[in-house]
Amino acid sequence: MQTLNNGYYYFPLMSPPLHHHPPNHNSFNNIVSGFNWESFKKEGGWYNFLINSIPELSASGITHVWLPPPSQSAASEGYMPGRLYDLNASRYGTQNELKTLINAFHSKGIQCVADIVINHRTAERQDSDGRWNIFEGGTPDDRLDWDHSFICIDDITKSGDTTTNSGGTGNRDTGADFNGAPDIDHLNTRVQRELSDWMNWLKTEIGFDGWRFDFARGYSPDITKLYMGNTRPDFAVGEIWNNLSYGSDNKPNYDQDAHRRELAEWVKAAGGSVTAFDFTTKGILQAAVEGELGRLKDSNGGPPGMIGLMPENAVTFVDNHDTGSTQQHWPFPSDKVMQGYVYILTHPGIPSIFYDHFFDWGLKEEISNLTMIRIRNGIKASSTVRILASDPDLYVAAIDDKIIAKIGTRYDVGNLVPTTFKIATSGNNYAVWEKQ
């Protein structure tokens, strides 16, 4: 990287690594994903609707809300963005409505995380050869007005059985191909500068505090490191969604160490201050609650997901708009969702709560009980876990020796819970005790 006069960092020239103060991931963070796959359909606009939920979220100890992609998009959900500066064309609401929503969250001490979709981009119009590769930024000037030279040279776009070449002449892609839209050349220094400017505009003009990097495996972690350094968010999380390893029985293998290490290595390569969604824990946990709770202890006796390696950089979750909602790409067993929340809200890592579960499934009170227990006992991202039982029908763990969590169908926990602990909350096949 090279530092130029405006203070930004650029690739591919080399320089010393970034040095800046990382966000404090060890505070009592509780994230909520503030939308689902159908939110754009809300009559009157999603921003105007969500603002009414702020008092309940604040009362439940939520510290961060993850909002949907804010820009104009070829897809209503926002994940095929085009005119990045045009926030008035979003199906979720207008730019002013978004700013009002963010200000309302801030008034309750809740930070707002923008969904940053920068791996790929949809074009505004076709070039002279009929290829969709002429981009508009959404401003009167030429910011983010790009052409084919800003697209990766090896980019391939697929629509059904049709494969097209977008005519890209930029550098080769540094990550996975998205297929659905042209992959942007993040080695291009103008791309780096103008996307950094746009993200900083989202902070200073719109009010966002942090980022959720969509499809972050689509470009090198060095690129994420660069954008982190150039924008310095208070919080950021990357989506690195790769498949777990599976056995011949179509179940996840018990040993997912390689999977979680891949997440940890991405965080390190991206500079160490960004977090990653703990897909390892999700995959193991949703298999474990199906009568295989022994999966929840690794060969070293600790948690088997990313929270067992880098808990302060691991964002745990049960479902989101992709895995659950109406997409159902990888849903948690619906009748065992609360067992999932007992695990992530009592254990290390940074827990993220799905909007649907909190507001639409009738689980608000049960989830809120858990968030309050977490806050009351000072459970943090780096808290320690002592696993007391990990049998097929019973999992019991002490966290910081302040609380004890139990999930599983077995009711009798024997003498695993000392008499100095009293029940704090319980439900269908779960219980949590607090030390008195």
Side-chain angles (χ1 to χ4, degrees), residues 297-370:
K297 184 167 73 171
D298 67 13
S299 59
N300 296 316
M306 186 185 177
I307 61 171
L309 291 181
M310 296 181 69
E312 293 176 62
N313 295 81
V315 175
T316 53
F317 67 106
V318 173
D319 267 324
N320 60 32
H321 67 283
D322 282 326
T323 65
S325 190
T326 53
Q327 295 201 89
Q328 295 287 299
H329 287 320
W330 200 34
F332 203 91
S334 60
D335 59 335
K336 299 177 177 67
V337 160
M338 276 310 303
Q339 292 186 58
Y341 279 112
V342 169
Y343 187 88
I344 70 169
L345 287 170
T346 61
H347 279 55
I350 304 167
S352 178
I353 300 163
F354 184 35
Y355 179 92
D356 290 15
H357 295 157
F358 192 84
F359 286 108
D360 298 340
W361 286 37
L363 302 177
K364 185 190 307 178
E365 182 177 352
E366 289 184 85
I367 292 174
S368 296
N369 287 340
L370 293 167

Side-chain angles (χ1 to χ4, degrees), residues 24-220:
N24 180 15
H25 298 156
N26 215 19
S27 55
F28 311 130
N29 291 337
N30 291 305
I31 303 170
V32 68
S33 57
F35 64 102
N36 61 33
W37 198 243
E38 306 296 323
S39 295
F40 72 90
K41 298 178 181 178
K42 194 68 179 180
E43 187 175 353
W46 185 250
Y47 298 149
N48 290 334
F49 174 77
L50 186 61
I51 200 169
N52 299 312
S53 304
I54 295 177
E56 295 169 281
L57 294 172
S58 176
S60 297
I62 298 302
T63 59
H64 295 72
V65 59
W66 159 23
L67 297 175
S71 302
Q72 177 271 336
S73 167
S76 297
E77 299 84 4
Y79 289 92
M80 300 285 276
R83 301 189 303 273
L84 293 179
Y85 277 101
D86 184 358
L87 307 194
N88 286 314
S90 168
R91 290 289 301 275
Y92 297 103
T94 67
Q95 177 173 315
N96 284 337
E97 289 167 351
L98 174 58
K99 292 175 70 172
T100 298
L101 175 66
I102 290 174
N103 286 335
F105 272 117
H106 285 169
S107 73
K108 293 294 186 179
I110 299 174
Q111 294 196 343
C112 296
V113 178
D115 205 323
I116 300 296
V117 187
I118 53 176
N119 168 75
H120 52 274
R121 194 175 171 200
T122 55
E124 186 77 9
R125 61 183 186 274
Q126 296 166 292
D127 67 6
S128 58
D129 294 321
R131 295 175 296 196
W132 290 91
N133 58 23
I134 306 298
F135 303 92
E136 294 287 345
T139 68
D141 55 36
D142 66 350
R143 283 175 292 169
L144 297 171
D145 292 354
W146 300 341
D147 60 17
H148 61 92
S149 65
F150 295 81
I151 300 173
C152 295
I153 193 170
D154 51 346
D155 175 72
I156 295 294
T157 302
K158 295 180 180 179
S159 178
D161 295 329
T162 303
T163 299
T164 58
N165 187 312
S166 54
T169 59
N171 291 285
R172 296 185 66 84
D173 202 339
T174 60
D177 190 12
F178 176 69
N179 290 333
D183 281 26
I184 298 303
D185 174 16
H186 288 275
L187 295 180
N188 184 306
T189 55
R190 180 178 166 187
V191 167
Q192 296 166 10
R193 181 181 69 253
E194 294 190 352
L195 286 179
S196 296
D197 284 342
W198 171 68
M199 292 163 68
N200 281 321
W201 176 81
L202 289 177
K203 286 176 62 179
T204 58
E205 175 63 27
I206 309 304
F208 279 109
D209 304 284
W211 320 129
R212 178 260 184 186
F213 290 105
D214 176 70
F215 198 70
R217 66 188 185 92
Y219 42 90
S220 163

